[in-house]
Amino acid sequence: MIDILVGGFYGDEGKGKVASYLALKDKPEMAVRTGSINAGHTAVYKGRKYKLRSIPSGFLSPKTKLIIPPGALIKREILFKEMEETGTKERIFIDGHAGVITDAEAEEERKNALLSNEVGSTKQGVGAAESKRILRSLRLAKDYPELAQFMMDVPAEVLKCIDNGGKVQVEGSQGHFLSLYHGEYPYVTSRNTTSSGILSEVGVGPGYAKDIIVIFKSFITRVGGGPLSGEIGQDEAKRLGMDEYGTVTGRQRRVAPFDVKLAKDVVRINSANQIAITKADTLFKGAGKVRQYQNLPKQARDWIEDIERNVGVPVTLIGTGEDALDMVDRRSELIEE
Ligand code: GTP
Ligand code: MG
């Protein structure tokens, strides 16, 4: 069956961290990375930090096949560089219909005033390439001889894997409120970032989904323009240890406190049955690197349980540090209950 990881706010909630943890624990047969190079996912393990813009964060599980689905977009230079850095060339598979971005698209976006000045796009060429695809003029992975060795019919192989009882992890990118359809247009990205959009990039139906995990961070961050309710100043964010800098652009992210009401709406729309919350260690002193729920400070546990009561869905995973394994995992409690 398929597990879907979806960002609950404006991206950068820590999908890379949750995906890498779950891959190490669950060892899925396949890890699929949706979206494109405008989203940077961070995975930290054994003292190394990987910033991934193309390869699934589940690569840390050594036998997992790493999949780029038809709805994703790649840039060859970035893909090959990441394959090299992660040593994963033999287990990368790309659907022939994945779109291919070139410098031409990035150049187009740099010249676009709306994207540059107002929307605050990362200008990696993703939107320009996607619009070419819609106009049927983008070249796809199957059109490039240097990608021939990686070709896979992804929906067919995902179904085969499921038929054999295998697990498929699907890693969303960006977040709910950046969705082209459901976010705050025009301050959105060029794709549908919600759970249904993520599945459509893979190309199989919702009936195969088992767990849909919405990932929140213990505070909200946003890059680029657009509304951010409850936004605090950059100095205050620094004082609270909530200052973050974009993986792709290096820009300081805008910050707001966690919002339970937003979280509830997001969980319902994405039909999530679990919540993951990262960076509990930023919000609560004494939560750093904790791996057992009962060892979290009482204040942190109360906060988590308050979210569960208000949202009506269990918080199964709680991030307590950068390392993939710095995680409180309550999934087994669910099954026993
Ligand atoms: P997008 O697809 O771009 O939305 O990215 P993402 O959701 O994968 O998040 P990203 O890696 O861009 O940002 C999250 C940051 O928080 C990274 O620097 C992570 O290393 C860090 N991080 C994630 N989880 C935790 C945690 O539980 N504790 C701490 N201290 N850091 C964390
Ligand atoms: Mg990111």
Side-chain angles (χ1 to χ4, degrees):
M1 293 298 271
I2 296 181
D3 290 343
I4 305 174
L5 308 179
V6 47
F9 291 136
Y10 297 90
D12 305 319
E13 301 91 356
K15 288 173 292 293
K17 149 100 184 199
V18 175
S20 54
Y21 170 79
L22 289 176
L24 285 167
K25 286 292 154 184
D26 298 352
K27 304 179 180 63
E29 274 67 24
M30 299 175 133
V32 185
R33 210 280 203 177
T34 63
S36 191
I37 57 168
N38 47 356
H41 296 197
T42 315
V44 179
Y45 188 53
K46 294 189 171 164
R48 276 194 69 179
K49 186 179 257 190
Y50 303 89
K51 296 200 169 190
L52 305 165
R53 297 166 63 185
S54 204
I55 285 180
S57 305
F59 85 92
L60 289 174
S61 160
K63 288 191 182 148
T64 298
K65 287 184 181 156
L66 308 173
I67 314 284
I68 310 287
L73 291 145
I74 56 168
K75 193 169 188 202
R76 286 161 298 158
E77 301 85 318
I78 293 174
L79 179 76
F80 284 113
K81 182 169 157 277
E82 290 185 3
M83 274 185 202
E84 196 71 34
E85 281 168 8
T86 54
T88 51
K89 194 170 180 189
E90 310 68 41
R91 51 189 179 110
I92 299 273
F93 301 91
I94 305 170
D95 193 280
H97 286 178
V100 177
I101 304 169
T102 66
D103 288 334
E105 285 81 41
E107 183 59 28
E108 277 172 41
E109 290 190 4
R110 276 197 291 275
K111 288 191 211 138
N112 180 316
L114 173 70
L115 287 180
S116 292
N117 305 334
E118 201 183 344
V119 175
S121 161
T122 58
K123 291 170 280 184
Q124 298 296 311
V126 181
E130 198 62 52
S131 63
K132 280 189 184 164
R133 167 142 68 179
I134 289 167
L135 297 172
R136 270 81 83 201
S137 59
L138 185 71
R139 291 176 71 200
L140 305 179
K142 66 183 170 59
D143 303 323
Y144 290 86
E146 75 261 47
L147 297 175
Q149 69 180 107
F150 303 107
M151 291 298 100
M152 174 191 264
D153 179 342
V154 169
E157 291 297 320
V158 165
L159 290 183
K160 217 187 273 176
C161 175
I162 292 170
D163 286 344
N164 291 330
K167 192 190 248 305
V168 180
Q169 179 192 80
V170 178
E171 177 179 358
S173 17
Q174 305 165 311
H176 179 90
F177 290 103
L178 294 179
S179 168
L180 178 61
Y181 306 145
H182 313 298
E184 293 141 338
Y185 189 91
Y187 305 103
V188 292
T189 189
S190 50
R191 57 188 281 272
N192 181 11
T193 53
T194 62
S195 57
S196 50
I198 290 168
L199 260 193
S200 83
E201 287 186 31
V202 181
V204 297
Y208 302 107
K210 182 172 163 280
D211 292 329
I212 300 177
I213 306 178
V214 165
I215 301 168
F216 297 119
K217 189 157 57 185
S218 63
F219 50 97
I220 303 176
T221 57
R222 172 167 207 168
V223 281
L228 179 58
S229 153
E231 181 167 5
I232 63 173
Q234 306 245 299
D235 289 341
E236 194 184 352
K238 261 195 182 148
R239 194 176 54 75
L240 296 169
M242 294 175 181
D243 53 319
E244 290 186 3
Y245 304 86
T247 311
V248 177
T249 58
R251 288 182 291 193
Q252 186 169 350
R253 294 174 181 162
R254 299 161 61 198
V255 178
F258 191 89
D259 184 331
V260 177
K261 194 188 163 306
L262 274 191
K264 184 170 185 175
D265 293 346
V266 169
V267 162
R268 278 182 54 76
I269 290 174
N270 286 278
S271 67
N273 63 339
Q274 293 182 38
I275 295 172
I277 298 187
T278 62
K279 289 204 154 185
D281 54 307
T282 304
L283 214 53
F284 300 100
K285 262 203 183 75
K289 298 197 160 289
V290 168
R291 297 185 184 181
Q292 299 293 332
Y293 187 66
Q294 67 272 19
N295 294 343
L296 284 174
K298 173 151 191 323
Q299 224 191 346
R301 282 181 280 134
D302 288 348
W303 184 72
I304 297 279
E305 286 160 33
D306 194 55
I307 290 171
E308 290 182 322
R309 250 191 317 276
N310 278 296
V311 176
V313 166
V315 177
T316 50
L317 299 160
I318 303 158
T320 57
E322 277 201 312
D323 191 276
L325 297 180
D326 287 334
M327 187 77 91
V328 172
D329 186 344
R330 302 167 78 207
R331 291 179 299 160
S332 61
E333 288 172 38
L334 270 189
I335 296 156
E336 277 159 23
E337 265 165 16

